[in-house]
Amino acid sequence: MDYEVYRLGKREWLLYGSQGVGYLALLDFVFYRSAALFAVLAPMGICYPLILRKDLKRRRKEALKLQFKDAILSAASGLNAGYSVENAFAAALEEMDRLYGKDSMISQELRLILAKTRMNRAFGEALEDFARRSGLEDIQSFSDVFLAARKSGGELVRIIARTAEIIAEKIRIQEDIMTATAARRTEQRIMSAIPVLIVFYIELTSPGFFDLLYETTAGRVVMTVCLGIYLGACSLSKKILEIRI
């Protein structure tokens, strides 16, 4: 699998396409109340999975990174216990099978690496191929250190174990940041929904209150400006919460 390429399945097309059409219907009701406009824009909603694909790829790589952290920590424990590199990762594979399941990304990748080594391919070469396909800096760094340590003939086990601990600690910090900002992300989603809820509330309690905005040219211009501000604010708040190290 090339983790830099995300292929949408039929279920995802159906699920996220329906969501896209639903979001367009909601925005049309709040800002325009135009069935004709919705009919024109509805096909764009079906393309929503294409917009979401980048985020889905990011989520998959984040999941792979967390699984990789547990794998290299398990392998580091095996190395410190005196296992060879191959045996340490074989033990890590058994632990990942129990922790994430045999069909998990990290289990499949470890199984592939070990299968390649049994076919007389170098462990470092198999690891490097995984690092290249993952597109993750942490996995690439681990692969580079492993290859450099093996070529230099230094204390391979100690270097690999220490590198695994450093990379795992970095990933753990990223996990802590995500946990610390979880409440803020929830607040951001609630704040994004409030303008829509206000419109529904006023429409329910005072029917016709917004009719002027939907029936005149000036009103439609005002609502278009409001839509731009709303979408810009949602995008900005999302970017503010994207903390990377």
Side-chain angles (χ1 to χ4, degrees), residues 66 169-182:
L66 296 180
E169 182 62 25
K170 176 186 174 183
I171 297 174
R172 191 180 294 113
I173 292 173
Q174 292 173 332
E175 286 185 270
D176 292 341
I177 291 174
M178 293 296 292
T179 301
T181 58

Side-chain angles (χ1 to χ4, degrees), residues 35-225:
L37 179 63
F38 174 70
V40 172
L41 296 179
M44 295 178 58
I46 301 175
C47 298
Y48 181 63
L50 297 177
I51 300 174
L52 198 60
R53 182 164 55 184
K54 182 178 179 181
D55 192 47
L56 293 172
K57 183 180 75 172
R58 179 188 59 80
R59 292 181 201 172
R60 182 177 66 181
K61 290 173 72 172
E62 288 293 329
L64 176 62
K65 181 165 62 175
L66 296 180
Q67 293 176 14
F68 176 73
K69 178 205 70 174
D70 292 331
I72 59 174
L73 283 177
S74 177
S77 297
L79 292 170
N80 289 327
Y83 289 8
S84 66
V85 172
E86 289 77 5
N87 289 337
F89 276 89
L93 171 59
E94 294 179 2
E95 186 171 342
M96 295 304 103
D97 284 346
R98 291 192 297 269
L99 187 60
Y100 294 109
K102 293 183 178 181
D103 293 331
S104 63
M105 291 180 288
I106 192 62
S107 290
Q108 292 180 9
E109 293 296 344
L110 290 179
R111 194 169 287 110
L112 178 61
I113 290 173
L114 294 172
K116 288 179 178 179
T117 58
R118 287 193 292 271
M119 296 173 64
N120 295 323
R121 290 187 61 181
F123 184 90
E125 181 183 341
L127 179 62
E128 186 179 28
D129 176 64
F130 168 44
R132 178 186 55 78
R133 289 185 291 103
S134 73
L136 289 169
E137 180 183 352
D138 294 320
I139 300 179
Q140 187 63 58
S141 297
F142 182 82
S143 173
D144 292 342
V145 170
F146 180 89
L147 291 173
R150 175 152 284 188
K151 287 180 180 178
S152 65
E155 299 181 23
L156 178 64
V157 171
R158 185 181 65 82
I159 293 173
I160 297 304
R162 180 56 181 160
T163 302
E165 292 172 1
I166 293 173
I167 292 176
E169 182 62 25
K170 176 186 174 183
I171 297 174
R172 191 180 294 113
I173 292 173
Q174 292 173 332
E175 286 185 270
D176 292 341
I177 291 174
M178 293 296 292
T179 301
T181 58
R184 296 292 178 265
R185 289 195 299 275
T186 301
E187 291 174 4
Q188 182 265 333
R189 286 191 287 268
I190 293 173
M191 293 299 294
S192 296
I194 283 178
V196 176
L197 295 176
I198 290 175
V199 171
F200 274 101
Y201 174 76
I202 295 177
E203 186 64 27
L204 181 65
T205 56
S206 303
F209 184 83
F210 290 126
D211 285 354
L212 188 64
L213 293 172
Y214 301 123
E215 296 174 357
T216 64
T217 301
R220 293 190 181 98
V221 171
V222 170
M223 293 305 283
T224 300
V225 173

Side-chain angles (χ1 to χ4, degrees), residues 9-21:
K10 293 181 180 179
R11 181 176 177 275
E12 290 175 316
W13 273 107
L14 180 62
L15 174 62
Y16 298 124
S18 300
Q19 285 184 6
V21 173

